[in-house]
Amino acid sequence: MDIKQDVFDEIGIDISDFNKQTVEDLRGELFWKHAFYTNKGSKKWPGLIFLPFISLQASIGTSNKIDYNKPFSVSSGNNGHSSVGFTTGIILDFVETIEIGTTLGYTNFFKRDISDMRVPTNQFQSAIYPFTTSTSVNPGSNYFFEGHLSAYHFLDKLSAWVQYVYTHHDRDTIQLQQTDSAFDTTT
C-alpha cells in the first residue's frame, strides 16, 4: 500500500482531503392548507379541527455535482438532477386532547447525461473504478408515508408525540451512452 498514491495518480483519482462550501439546489413550492373547525361550541362533542393540505414542489439542479475523480466528493443537492413532486395529508386535531395526522409524498427526478463517469468493468469491483465513460443517469423516484399521534399536555406538563415515517427510493438506472462490453452497469 506504500505506492497507493502512484496508483491513484496513474488512473486519475484524487484522494486528497478537501473542504468546499457551496449552495444547494434552487427549490420552489406551492402550498395550500385550510382548517375546518367543527363541533364549535358543542357541549356533547369536543371541538375538531380538520386540516387537509397539499403542496407541489420543484427543484432545479443548480448545486455542485459529484466529481467522479474524487471518490469522497459529495453533492450538496441532487447531483444536478432536477425534480418535481407533491406532498398531501390530513390532520385531525381534537381540540385539547389528541392530534392524528398522515402524509403521503412522491418525488420524480429527471435523467441527465454525465461524461467521464467512473463505471465498473467487472461485477466484483467496488468503490474504485479505474475507467470512465459517458452515461445517462436516471435516479429512481422517492415515495414516503408519515403517520403521527400527539397529545399536548394530556397530563399536567406532560406531552407525547409518536411518529412513523417510511421512505422508499426506486432503483437508479445507469445506461452507457455508447454500448461498450468492457463496462458492467448491472451492479
Side-chain angles (χ1 to χ4, degrees), residues 112-128:
R112 85 174 177 93
D113 294 338
I114 300 174
S115 61
D116 297 327
M117 182 177 179
R118 292 192 175 272
V119 177
T121 55
N122 185 290
Q123 66 178 347
F124 299 109
Q125 285 180 317
S126 64
I128 298 174

Side-chain angles (χ1 to χ4, degrees), residues 25-29 56-63 77-86 106-112 138-142 169:
D25 291 341
L26 180 62
R27 301 175 194 269
E29 179 177 22
L56 303 173
Q57 307 101 15
S59 73
I60 300 171
T62 55
S63 67
N78 293 326
N79 196 26
H81 297 278
S82 296
S83 68
V84 294
F86 75 91
Y106 170 80
T107 304
N108 179 67
F109 299 94
F110 295 103
K111 177 172 73 169
R112 85 174 177 93
N138 191 7
S141 298
N142 284 348
H169 178 77

Side-chain angles (χ1 to χ4, degrees), residues 169-187:
H169 178 77
D170 287 339
R171 190 178 184 115
D172 298 343
T173 304
I174 300 173
Q175 294 179 327
L176 302 178
Q177 288 184 355
Q178 295 177 8
T179 304
D180 188 340
S181 60
F183 294 99
D184 181 10
T185 59
T186 59
T187 56

Side-chain angles (χ1 to χ4, degrees), residues 21-100:
Q21 294 180 351
T22 183
V23 296
E24 292 186 5
D25 291 341
L26 180 62
R27 301 175 194 269
E29 179 177 22
L30 294 173
F31 190 85
W32 174 86
K33 71 178 175 179
H34 184 73
F36 298 94
Y37 199 115
T38 61
N39 302 333
K40 191 172 187 177
S42 172
K43 298 201 188 307
K44 186 175 182 181
W45 300 100
L48 170 66
I49 300 172
F50 173 71
L51 183 69
F53 60 90
I54 187 165
S55 73
L56 303 173
Q57 307 101 15
S59 73
I60 300 171
T62 55
S63 67
N64 68 311
K65 296 167 189 66
I66 291 175
D67 181 348
Y68 291 96
N69 293 320
K70 295 180 179 180
F72 304 113
S73 175
V74 176
S75 173
S76 62
N78 293 326
N79 196 26
H81 297 278
S82 296
S83 68
V84 294
F86 75 91
T87 303
T88 186
I90 297 172
I91 295 173
L92 298 173
D93 186 356
F94 297 91
V95 178
E96 297 184 20
T97 57
I98 64 170
E99 176 184 296
I100 302 168

